[in-house]
Amino acid sequence: MSTFLGSVWWMIVSLGVLVTFHEFGHYWVARRCGVRVLRFSVGFGKALWSRRGRDGTEFAIAALPLGGYVRMLDEREGEVAAADAPQAFNRQSVGRRIAIVAAGPLANLLLCVALLWAMFVIGRPDFAPVVGHAEGIAAAAGLQRGDTLLAVGERQTPTWSEAALALATAALDRHDTPLQVRTAAGATVSRRLRLSQLPADVDQPQAIARIGLTPRHQLLPPVIGRIEPGSAAWGVLAEGDRVTAIDGVAVANFDDIGPRVQAIGARAAMVEVRRDGERLALEITPRRRVDPQRGSYWALGIGPAMAPLPAYDATLHHGPLAAVPAALQETGKLTRDSLGMIGRLVTGRASVENVSGPITIARYANASAQLGPAWFLNFLALLSLSLAIINLLPIPVLDGGHLLYYLIELVKGSPLSERAMVAGQYIGLALLAGLMGLAFYNDILQLLR
């Protein structure tokens, strides 16, 4: 299956599952409150399949799988017989209407917990949070190769994914952050990352690199993949050479080459390589370069050869009972992170480029599915939580907007006027259209990049 078709398929599967649970939450509570549900639809547009339940509800799967809805009996949407009026949504008490509307996001929240529980029970393979190379802020904090990150701030980091997310979040706030580290020698020590020294333009995707931290599993072998024409290495080294030592000092990873070249400076040095099974010692003199970000430095003019990631060496796993509190804690942590990101977007501390749309969702759905069931469950859980949070935003058209209306009605003692609600709907549609436009723009920008 191609990447495009895989992305489309897994997005349909993801949205189908999440929308079904969301709308089922509305449906289930509405029926318990005595409201007649006319239609339960997964998707919009023409029905591809439908059947009528014993309670009279029409269940349908529609052609456009980008959402869904539950249509209830409502006097505001058409004429209702006097005998059926008690079953109309608009005739219910404010408390019941609040319960029905809130049930959709709550269903997604419960689904998030269930999916995370399943992920923990299956076990999510990952990489150990071991430092491969440290420079800049990371090196200044005392991090060294072989150190294992045990905690970032108050957050435990059993795998690299947890460590990366915690570091990226802390970097956005630019607060100095304590680390708990186990050194290569086995001692547990504390370090402190001076994230307040990060420049103001650092965004979440760039955070780890700008901190100066490379995890062990991302270290590249010291194999030359490209040589820049006219550089110090041009005509001396060759693509495919494996660098084994520079100036008599052994080289284990490609990241070892840079510091050795800086130590050599302008003098000639012997670079030992393996080429076609032979050991060669070649003399090279580094050349000075000036970069607006790095400043002045010495370079050979070589780039690494790409290599596949190594095998996973850590697993995030709990037994069925231990997975229950773990799933609840993870849901709470993800909720705080999501709300924190919304707050940063609103205040301008995070770039609006972090707002993603359906294209990015489809790409991540496909990528997580390829990584295995545990990773796909993790993706679904995060997406389900995001759907719950977005729907609770106080924007008319969304569930949160309706809840806002009902809370105002509770305080006011009477419903908002039709004019006020219509104005709110227009505002909500405008905000939603703007948000969707921004999301599509970011999606296309990412594809172009």
Side-chain angles (χ1 to χ4, degrees):
M1 187 181 293
S2 68
T3 300
F4 173 76
L5 292 178
S7 297
V8 172
W9 167 251
W10 288 113
M11 183 184 71
I12 292 173
V13 170
S14 301
L15 292 181
V17 171
L18 302 186
V19 168
T20 299
F21 268 83
H22 180 93
E23 299 304 334
F24 182 77
H26 291 311
Y27 167 80
W28 190 84
V29 175
R31 295 299 297 135
R32 296 304 173 278
C33 291
V35 175
R36 179 183 294 181
V37 178
L38 303 178
R39 197 175 201 216
F40 182 119
S41 177
V42 177
F44 299 105
K46 184 179 179 180
L48 303 177
W49 172 91
S50 68
R51 76 172 183 85
R52 195 166 297 278
R54 286 181 295 179
D55 60 358
T57 303
E58 179 192 5
F59 295 89
I61 297 177
L64 191 60
L66 295 177
Y69 62 92
V70 167
R71 184 184 170 204
M72 304 175 206
L73 189 68
D74 196 314
E75 292 175 309
R76 295 167 299 180
E77 297 182 2
E79 189 173 340
V80 176
D84 296 331
Q87 299 181 68
F89 175 79
N90 65 292
R91 288 290 188 97
Q92 307 306 309
S93 66
V94 179
R96 287 190 173 189
R97 279 179 278 150
I98 288 176
I100 293 169
V101 171
L106 181 59
N108 282 125
L109 185 62
L110 294 175
L111 178 61
C112 174
V113 176
L115 291 169
L116 289 173
W117 176 86
M119 179 204 73
F120 283 126
V121 171
I122 293 173
R124 192 190 73 194
D126 208 326
F127 295 104
V130 179
V131 176
H133 177 73
E135 60 183 10
I137 294 174
L143 292 176
Q144 299 178 0
R145 177 177 295 175
D147 287 351
T148 301
L149 303 179
L150 302 177
V152 176
E154 300 297 322
R155 182 170 297 184
Q156 301 298 309
T157 55
T159 68
W160 173 249
S161 295
E162 275 69 37
L165 180 59
L167 287 169
T169 302
L172 284 178
D173 295 328
R174 292 172 182 78
H175 292 160
D176 293 345
T177 303
L179 305 176
Q180 188 177 7
V181 175
R182 183 173 61 243
T183 67
T188 300
V189 298
S190 296
R191 300 281 187 250
R192 193 169 190 84
L193 279 177
R194 303 294 179 182
L195 299 181
S196 57
Q197 298 176 4
L198 284 170
D201 63 342
V202 172
D203 206 352
Q204 194 169 19
Q206 311 167 334
I208 306 300
R210 299 294 285 273
I211 290 171
L213 192 59
T214 303
R216 181 178 63 187
H217 64 273
Q218 289 183 3
L219 289 177
L220 293 171
V223 178
I224 298 173
R226 60 180 175 82
I227 300 175
E228 298 177 16
S231 64
W234 184 254
V236 181
L237 300 177
E239 293 181 4
D241 284 354
R242 187 181 188 94
V243 180
T244 57
I246 296 178
D247 203 27
V249 178
V251 171
N253 302 286
F254 199 89
D255 283 343
D256 294 338
I257 297 176
R260 288 304 309 148
V261 172
Q262 306 315 306
I264 292 167
R267 64 183 175 84
M270 301 304 294
V271 177
E272 299 175 34
V273 302
R274 284 192 176 274
R275 180 186 299 172
D276 299 327
E278 296 184 29
R279 288 188 62 183
L280 303 175
L282 307 168
E283 185 177 79
I284 299 181
T285 303
R287 296 180 184 175
R288 183 183 292 276
R289 288 187 177 180
V290 178
D291 182 87
Q293 292 186 344
R294 291 184 58 183
S296 176
Y297 66 99
W298 298 98
L300 297 180
I302 60 175
M306 299 308 295
L309 285 173
Y312 290 121
D313 55 2
T315 303
L316 194 61
H317 178 265
H318 296 287
L321 293 179
V324 175
L328 291 170
Q329 291 172 6
E330 185 71 8
T331 301
K333 181 180 73 176
L334 292 174
T335 301
R336 289 191 296 273
D337 288 344
S338 299
L339 293 176
M341 178 57 73
I342 292 173
R344 294 182 188 95
L345 289 170
V346 171
T347 58
R349 286 184 293 153
S351 170
V352 292
E353 289 187 5
N354 289 289
V355 178
S356 300
I359 297 175
T360 299
I361 292 173
R363 293 170 60 200
Y364 275 96
N366 184 51
S368 61
Q370 304 311 312
L371 291 173
W375 276 103
F376 187 62
L377 289 171
N378 186 86
F379 166 78
L380 278 180
L382 183 57
L383 193 59
S384 186
L385 178 64
S386 299
L387 186 61
I389 292 173
I390 289 172
N391 265 283
L392 286 174
L393 293 177
I395 299 175
V397 180
L398 299 178
D399 291 335
H402 293 296
L403 291 174
L404 178 62
Y405 287 158
Y406 301 146
L407 290 175
I408 292 173
E409 183 178 342
L410 274 177
V411 175
K412 185 170 172 276
S414 61
L416 282 172
S417 66
E418 284 289 331
R419 184 177 180 181
M421 285 194 284
V422 169
Q425 297 288 352
Y426 280 121
I427 293 172
L429 286 171
L431 289 173
L432 206 55
L435 189 62
M436 291 176 64
L438 175 63
F440 271 110
Y441 173 79
N442 288 339
D443 282 355
I444 294 170
L445 196 62
Q446 284 191 17
L447 286 176
L448 293 176
R449 286 174 178 172

